[in-house]
Amino acid sequence: MPYLTLPRRREFLATASAAGLLLSQGARSAAAQQGRARWAFFSDTHIAADRANTYRGFKPYEQLAKVAPAVAASGVTGAIIDGDLARLTGEPGDYQNFLQLLAPVAAKMPIAMALGNHDNRKNFQAAIGKHPGEVQAVRDRHVLAVPAGPVRLLVLDSLMMPDFTPGFLGKEQRTWLERYLGASDETPTLVFVHHTPGDNDGELLDAERLLRILKASRKVKALIYGHSHRYRFDVLDGLHCINLPAVGYNFNDAEPTGWTEVELSAEGADFKLHAMGGNLQGDGKVTSIAWRG
Ligand SMILES: [Zn+2]
């Protein structure tokens, strides 16, 4: 039996290429990127009908006027805003300005939105005609399931009434969530809600019941919220609990305002902070987290 002679490299490349075994440079990086997605996550824009509205020295209108073009130019393929879109009571004029500011983002990508305690569900629904993903049938609540590459985003609604600080999901929404998680495929799932899941009177009043449902479903990898205007990462029994920074203003000089650019995969996520106001020290910092199994 003759020795097997290996083809010289050039011949091998020619053969392999002819056989379609090799990918071009572009196709190869596309393959490496497959199963990844880059999204913008941010929260608490607090846009008022009055463009000059100021709080703690911040002008939310100007803050979003800086964030929106940056998000639009960043190459992300989707955006999610985690509630408190409007300044205080969710007036139609608030949403009008809000949408106008977001126009450069909306021209390029889907924008999913959650409602916070400073929103008005009726005025929001009237202003925003179309939502990405699937709107879920939960009575009197704005609930979405949105595909984002390798992960699924579930947007819950914790708004009780406009300008009333605490949040509440309620039994019907929690029951829906439990059923949805039981019936959906194993796609890693990130759950968004506006309110912080703490036990203070101004936080999510049924946080404990929500956490029980999320912890029990292994496909749920993270709970993501705003409300406190703080940027923070915690882990609770393997479940990531992520507090997004506010766009509009901070409550404390130590906190940044701005947005996060999030690289998502089936294994975890890298959060890059784009600090645009307040404490700028963490600007550009990447926080990498791995999903629980
Ligand atoms: Zn807020």
Side-chain angles (χ1 to χ4, degrees):
M1 192 176 159
Y3 287 107
L4 193 72
T5 47
L6 288 169
R8 272 180 295 164
R9 183 168 161 77
R10 190 181 299 167
E11 285 163 352
F12 169 74
L13 286 177
T15 319
S17 162
L21 295 173
L22 289 182
L23 299 170
S24 71
Q25 201 59 42
R28 196 187 333 226
S29 68
Q33 287 303 309
Q34 215 178 42
R36 299 186 83 83
R38 221 154 34 86
W39 273 57
F41 290 1
F42 52 103
S43 192
D44 296 82
T45 50
H46 287 286
I47 301 302
D50 172 13
R51 293 177 182 196
N53 182 280
T54 308
Y55 184 70
R56 280 180 41 84
F58 290 93
K59 288 191 161 66
Y61 187 93
E62 286 174 16
Q63 296 280 115
L64 186 56
K66 277 199 282 181
V67 166
V71 170
S74 67
V76 298
T77 54
I80 182 160
I81 313 174
D82 210 358
D84 277 4
L85 317 172
R87 177 68 187 93
L88 289 173
T89 47
E91 300 305 316
D94 301 351
Y95 294 114
Q96 211 177 320
N97 279 346
F98 170 76
L99 288 179
Q100 223 167 52
L101 286 166
L102 282 174
V105 182
K108 288 197 170 169
M109 66 193 82
I111 310 175
M113 298 166 201
L115 291 168
N117 48 294
H118 290 297
D119 288 304
N120 177 304
R121 196 174 288 108
K122 229 171 92 189
N123 293 343
F124 164 80
Q125 296 288 17
I128 294 152
K130 200 172 174 302
H131 300 283
E134 286 171 13
V135 178
Q136 304 297 314
V138 184
R139 190 161 45 106
D140 295 332
R141 298 284 189 162
H142 171 65
V143 179
L144 295 175
V146 185
V151 304
R152 176 187 295 120
L153 314 179
L154 277 190
V155 179
L156 304 182
D157 181 345
S158 58
L159 165 63
M160 294 174 77
M161 64 186 96
D163 209 13
F164 179 69
T165 306
F168 189 61
L169 297 169
K171 188 167 176 95
E172 196 170 324
Q173 189 171 192
R174 293 195 312 268
T175 303
W176 168 85
L177 176 65
E178 215 164 1
R179 282 200 192 125
Y180 183 93
L181 291 172
S184 60
D185 63 32
E186 291 306 305
T187 304
T189 300
L190 315 185
V191 175
F192 289 77
V193 69
H194 174 71
H195 284 82
T196 44
D199 65 358
N200 289 311
D201 294 347
E203 298 186 277
L204 186 65
L205 300 178
D206 49 357
E208 231 172 278
R209 284 172 281 183
L210 169 66
L211 287 167
R212 204 180 308 138
I213 295 168
L214 301 185
K215 282 196 252 177
S217 175
R218 303 298 295 185
K219 73 187 76 161
V220 178
K221 307 304 184 186
L223 173 64
I224 301 175
Y225 40 89
H227 193 52
S228 73
H229 298 211
R230 293 194 309 174
Y231 186 43
R232 202 188 149 105
F233 292 82
D234 289 296
V235 186
L236 209 61
D237 296 340
L239 178 76
H240 289 281
C241 295
I242 302 163
N243 205 156
L244 297 175
V247 170
Y249 50 84
N250 61 19
F251 288 133
N252 181 315
D253 294 339
E255 292 297 330
T257 62
W259 62 287
T260 59
E261 180 180 341
V262 187
E263 173 110 17
L264 298 158
S265 77
E267 288 77 44
D270 299 327
F271 283 72
K272 184 178 184 181
L273 174 67
H274 292 278
M276 301 193 113
N279 182 354
L280 298 174
Q281 258 173 15
D283 183 42
K285 189 184 170 199
V286 177
T287 305
S288 297
I289 58 175
W291 307 139
R292 63 177 174 169

